[in-house]
Amino acid sequence: MKDRRGHLIVFEGIDGTGKSTQISELAKYLTGQGYEVVTTREPTDGPYGQKIRQLYTDRTLCDAKEELDLFINDRRQHVNEVIAPALRKGKIVLSDRYYFSTAAYQGANGCDPDEIFKANSFAPQPDLMLLLTMDVEQSVYRIKKLRGDEPDHFEGVEYLRKVSVLFDSFTHPFIKRIAAASVPDKVSSAIIREVELLLRGTE
Ligand code: TMP
């Protein structure tokens, strides 16, 4: 993207690590500092995102390749309609999940992570990826106890273990790992530190 002026910050990690709480805390902080912030998420609420949500309760609705295509089509639309226009306007975009989730989750479902990265080359590279880390057992405990939910088809322990191993294997230079098991305020402070470093470095 030649005319990109804003910043793209993405949150990644297995389910139950508190991404949405942390995104809203960071959005509040940045807005208070005078930045224009757009918060968004994947899967989106668009047509592909809605199809994807049906898979949460029944993953047998499509095969692994069809599932991968749904996530990629959803992202293409997300980039074209939300992310790229906001970056062109100089905004800070905070996205709850991005193409690393596809590489990790669909990678754990039998697709090749490197091929997935290649298939996502249309998507702008983030300036910062905050990878929220936590033991799989603890994340599943949080899904069950704190969210009051039963884990869905993407949240089984064995599957999330594979997802977690893939997240751990990514070495992109813009990835910062944040230990997400401590109290939310501590996690927020660690996130703000990384974001300040990014923003100060590019002002
Ligand atoms: P969330 O809305 O709770 O983050 O749930 C989204 C689910 O979708 C989560 O289990 C991860 C999964 N997912 C993928 O499998 N691939 C992807 O590319 C994305 C964005 C999400």
Side-chain angles (χ1 to χ4, degrees):
M1 253 180 78
K2 270 192 241 122
D3 48 357
R4 166 173 173 168
R5 292 186 292 126
H7 291 93
L8 177 57
I9 300 175
V10 302
F11 283 69
E12 293 281 14
I14 53 174
D15 302 81
T17 47
K19 289 185 299 306
S20 40
T21 308
Q22 291 303 329
I23 286 180
S24 66
E25 287 304 311
L26 179 61
K28 259 189 255 163
Y29 172 81
L30 290 172
T31 306
Q33 301 284 309
Y35 291 102
E36 277 197 274
V37 178
V38 172
T39 58
T40 186
R41 66 169 183 163
E42 295 185 359
T44 69
D45 294 321
Y48 295 110
Q50 286 173 28
K51 276 195 202 143
I52 289 167
R53 288 206 168 77
Q54 293 171 0
L55 301 177
Y56 292 177
T57 46
D58 185 2
R59 212 172 177 180
T60 60
L61 289 173
C62 65
D63 65 25
K65 175 71 174 80
E66 288 164 340
E67 179 184 301
L68 172 63
D69 288 344
L70 282 177
F71 280 106
I72 291 179
N73 286 329
D74 188 45
R75 178 157 312 110
R76 203 181 297 279
Q77 192 167 15
H78 190 210
V79 166
N80 290 339
E81 294 180 8
V82 179
I83 296 178
L87 291 178
R88 276 196 291 270
K89 287 184 191 137
K91 298 186 181 182
I92 298 183
V93 178
L94 306 181
S95 184
D96 188 341
R97 299 194 180 280
Y98 202 43
Y99 56 76
F100 308 89
S101 277
T102 322
Y105 281 82
Q106 279 59 57
N109 196 31
C111 302
D112 175 358
D114 288 332
E115 291 299 320
I116 296 174
F117 280 124
K118 276 189 208 143
N120 277 280
S121 56
F122 65 88
Q125 186 176 288
D127 298 289
L128 176 63
M129 164 178 155
L130 295 158
L131 177 57
L132 270 52
T133 62
M134 186 180 281
D135 286 348
V136 171
E137 287 71 18
Q138 191 172 0
S139 85
V140 171
Y141 172 84
R142 283 166 53 131
I143 292 166
K144 283 191 191 159
K145 295 280 179 219
L146 307 181
R147 234 167 59 185
D149 278 355
E150 274 306 306
D152 66 27
H153 280 210
F154 286 69
E155 295 171 336
V157 176
E158 286 314 313
Y159 181 58
L160 284 185
R161 245 193 267 283
K162 285 193 206 161
V163 173
S164 182
V165 166
L166 282 168
F167 271 133
D168 283 350
S169 72
F170 302 153
T171 55
H172 303 67
F174 48 77
I175 297 180
K176 300 291 173 193
R177 292 178 160 80
I178 305 281
S182 51
V183 286
D185 278 0
K186 260 194 164 174
V187 180
S188 304
S189 306
I191 288 174
I192 288 171
R193 256 197 312 277
E194 294 298 345
V195 172
E196 285 291 357
L197 280 175
L198 169 73
L199 297 176
R200 272 192 255 126
T202 54
E203 262 166 13

